[in-house]
Every structure is written in structure tokens, then in C-alpha cells.
Amino acid sequence: MAGLDIAGYARSRSTVLPESRRGASRMSPYIRHGLLSLREVWDRVEDAAGRDRSRYRDELMWQEYARHLYARVGTDLGQSLTREQPFASGGDVRADDPWPTEMNCMSSVTTELHDDGWLVNQTRMWLASQWAVRAGATWRDGEDEMFAHLLDGSRAANRLGWQWTVGTGSGKVYGFSRWQVEKRAPALCRGCALASACPIQDWPSAELGPSVDGPDLTTADIPAGPAEASGSAAEQVWLTAESLGTSDPALSADESRPAVFVFDEPLLRRLSLSGKRLVFLAETLGELGAIRDLEVRRGVVSEELAGRSLAATYAPVPGWARIARTLEPVEVHPWPWLVRPGRSSVRSFSAWRRGHSDPLPSTA
């Protein structure tokens, strides 16, 4: 956070190469796991230049919108929201190899995904469009593959990003082509063996798919959790992967209270996350354990924590609600929303954004 500088962000956030000119802040892994709240980052850029601050805060609001949408539809975010996936035809179809390594742009970006576990937003869109729109592979499989490697991987933001890009949750398809690569990373085209026979020279042929009867995205209540802490005198704090920072509301409510985190073994077995993600979580827990009394376990969460007197911070994800019903925490703290959900539509970000004014100034 101390090194966060968004000078030039509006101009360079989509730059891919050279890396030294990238404007992306790389704060997303810390935001995703609650090491930093959206509010903390929002306040941090208060003194930035107007256009940079506005553009950056719009991205923070996009993250908040993703959480509102996920809180509303839950696991249905894994289904096409408004339209079926568009499928390319003719020469575009290559579902057996959706990220061809002979394409320098694909080889470079997938290497960065696998090695670093982080990508700028522009290249995330390249991968999603190449996988689903051009190659015709199922978008859910591509989202799973990206999710497994991203340090900031969240079902809310990652699934929303894929649905927006491939057109299953938006009104248009993002057409990945050579034009984007030459604009954002021209060195990739210059060094590509397919430079004179580029398979993405022109726009993809796919158009919007047919409408689907997806989840209700119109105006309705969005689950938000408690507005104030309820209960008291819990003996331990149950930490989740959604909120691992020292400012976690349940953790910060009593600095002397020990905490416990459980690696959810059945969930991890199903997700097959990359080693990078697990190391990131382990290092985060190690740093926390150096300053707080922390117990780390592995197994079935409800079994590992059965019978304990627990305080917890509400999390707007389906898994938290499911496990909390079994554990029955005696003390529940509110989630640190940037904009507390109410009754609204989640059909589109632009409409949602117009309906939500910027957060009130922090009272911290």
C-alpha cells in the first residue's frame, strides 16, 4: 500500500509491454484476500490526479459490483447470465487447443499466468476471447483454468470478467485480434513466428449468442450480511480466505483473541489450485502468525472447528453461508463493503454504477 502510485493510470492501465510502462497497480491479490479493503485503497488514492483517481476508483467499484452480483446470484454466476456462448465458425474453431503456444501473444501471456499468477486486465480479456470466442472452447472451462492460477482468483471477479468478455453476460462480444496486440504489446507481433500468417489478423466471426433464461438480475434485494456486529465473547476468530488481513473486523475487535484458519481440503481437491496460490496463502498466514496467535489446520472446515466458540466476519460468498450454518458463530461482524448492498438491479455495471453514488467519506 505504501508504494501505491497511480500517476498515469488512466493512460497506461491497459499497457501490456514493456512491463516498465504498465500502469496496473497489482493490488488485486491483496484486495481479493482481504489484506486490504476496497475502502482502504479508495481512500489511499484521494490525492491522485483527477482522471487517474476517477478511472482507478471505477475499477474498485467494478470489484464491488462483482461482489454484489455474486452475493445475489451465487453459484449461478457459473452459468451464462443473459446469452448463450457465441461460437465461431470455419477457420476460427480450435477448441482442442484454445491457447495455441505457436502464437507469441498466447505463449507469452499463458507463461506469465503460470509463472507469476497475475495478469493485467487487457491480457485476461485476450485469453478469454481467444478461448471462447475464437477457439470455441467452453468458457467455464477456460475460467476454471485461469482461476486455478490467479493469485487474485475469485469466482465473483473472474467469472464476471469472462462473461463480460465473451458476451454471455453483456450486450457485445469482445473480439480479440492482432490489432489489440499491436496496440498494447507490439513486440509480441514482431517476434512471432506467425507474423506473416497471423491467425487473428481479422476480427473473429462469432456474434452474440441467443438469449437464455438465466438468474433474475432485475431490481431485488442483495444479501449484505449484518450491518453491525452481533453477539460477543467468542473465544477464537475464524478466518477465511476472503478476509486474512489484520483489519478483518472480527480479528481487530479483540487483538488478544487467537485466530484459526482451515485449509478446506475437499474444496482444494476439487479446485486443483496451482502451487503459487497455495504458497501465497501460506505466506500470508505466516506473516499473520508472526504477530498474532494463529492456528492453521487442514481438513473439512465444519469438522475441524466443530464445538468451538467462534467470532467471524461475514463474507459475501456461498461457501461462507453454508459453513456458518453448521458452525453457528456466536459473534458475527459485518463485511467491509465499499457500498453496502440494498435493493437494486445487477443487470449491468454501468446501470449499477449510476445507481450507486461514491462511498461516503471514511469515518476511520
Side-chain angles (χ1 to χ4, degrees):
M1 179 77 105
L4 178 60
D5 181 2
I6 62 168
Y9 178 82
R11 179 186 66 257
S12 58
R13 67 173 296 269
S14 293
T15 297
V16 178
L17 292 178
E19 290 190 28
S20 60
R21 293 177 56 191
R22 288 180 179 178
S25 68
R26 297 184 70 106
M27 302 297 285
S28 53
Y30 309 101
I31 292 172
R32 184 265 179 266
H33 290 293
L35 302 176
L36 294 171
S37 69
L38 288 173
R39 157 62 72 183
E40 289 175 296
V41 182
W42 179 281
D43 290 345
R44 179 70 181 185
V45 300
E46 175 63 33
D47 295 331
R51 186 163 175 262
D52 293 328
R53 181 181 66 245
S54 176
R55 191 70 181 91
Y56 192 75
R57 284 179 167 178
D58 274 346
E59 295 304 316
L60 298 181
M61 289 293 275
W62 170 266
Q63 292 290 327
E64 185 75 334
Y65 167 68
R67 290 172 174 176
H68 282 216
L69 175 62
Y70 195 41
R72 173 79 170 275
V73 305
T75 57
D76 282 345
L77 192 53
Q79 306 299 318
S80 296
L81 292 176
T82 61
R83 292 180 177 273
E84 294 287 0
Q85 177 181 330
F87 285 101
S89 59
D92 283 335
V93 177
R94 195 172 178 175
D96 61 328
D97 187 16
W99 290 336
T101 55
E102 62 265 32
M103 294 171 59
N104 202 23
C105 54
M106 289 294 101
S107 176
S108 175
V109 174
T110 53
T111 296
E112 188 171 2
L113 172 65
H114 296 157
D115 290 353
D116 299 340
W118 189 84
L119 298 171
V120 297
N121 186 62
Q122 183 71 200
T123 54
R124 298 179 196 222
M125 294 167 64
W126 293 0
L127 289 183
S129 184
Q130 171 63 32
W131 182 289
V133 179
R134 281 198 174 272
T138 302
W139 77 262
R140 298 172 190 83
D141 296 337
E143 191 271 328
D144 279 342
E145 174 64 21
M146 185 182 286
F147 175 85
H149 292 278
L150 288 173
L151 300 182
D152 61 12
S154 77
R155 288 307 194 189
N158 202 46
R159 281 181 173 169
L160 176 60
W162 272 74
Q163 296 229 42
W164 185 91
T165 301
V166 306
T168 58
S170 63
K172 61 181 180 179
V173 176
Y174 175 82
F176 174 53
S177 72
R178 183 171 183 168
W179 179 84
Q180 285 102 335
V181 183
E182 290 186 325
K183 181 178 181 181
R184 306 298 185 187
L188 293 179
C189 290
R190 290 195 298 267
C192 185
L194 300 177
S196 60
C198 180
I200 59 168
Q201 183 68 47
D202 301 314
W203 296 103
S205 61
E207 298 180 354
L208 280 173
S211 297
V212 298
D213 185 18
D216 182 13
L217 306 177
T218 59
T219 302
D221 291 329
I222 299 173
E228 298 179 350
S230 61
S232 61
E235 297 174 0
Q236 291 180 298
V237 178
W238 166 39
L239 294 177
T240 70
E242 311 302 318
S243 189
L244 290 175
T246 55
S247 61
D248 169 80
L251 192 65
S252 60
D254 184 346
E255 295 186 356
S256 66
R257 192 160 49 185
V260 59
F261 177 87
V262 180
F263 280 100
D264 189 333
E265 195 164 16
L267 177 64
L268 292 176
R269 188 179 298 114
R270 185 169 73 250
L271 295 178
S272 296
L273 300 182
S274 71
K276 296 178 304 300
R277 290 197 64 173
L278 298 177
V279 168
F280 182 88
L281 290 173
E283 290 180 341
T284 297
L285 292 167
E287 292 175 357
L288 183 60
I291 59 175
R292 292 291 296 261
D293 185 357
L294 174 66
E295 177 186 1
V296 178
R297 304 185 67 85
R298 187 188 72 194
V300 178
V301 179
S302 58
E303 295 177 1
E304 295 295 323
L305 300 183
R308 302 198 188 198
S309 171
L310 297 171
T313 297
Y314 172 86
V317 297
W320 189 92
R322 174 179 51 80
I323 296 172
R325 281 194 295 269
T326 300
L327 293 179
E328 297 183 332
V330 299
E331 184 181 327
V332 178
H333 292 256
W335 176 258
W337 296 104
L338 185 58
V339 177
R340 186 170 174 81
R343 186 173 179 81
S344 65
S345 170
V346 289
R347 183 177 294 277
S348 75
F349 171 67
S350 56
W352 176 90
R353 183 72 173 93
R354 288 193 298 270
H356 289 77
S357 60
D358 289 345
L360 295 173
S362 174
T363 57

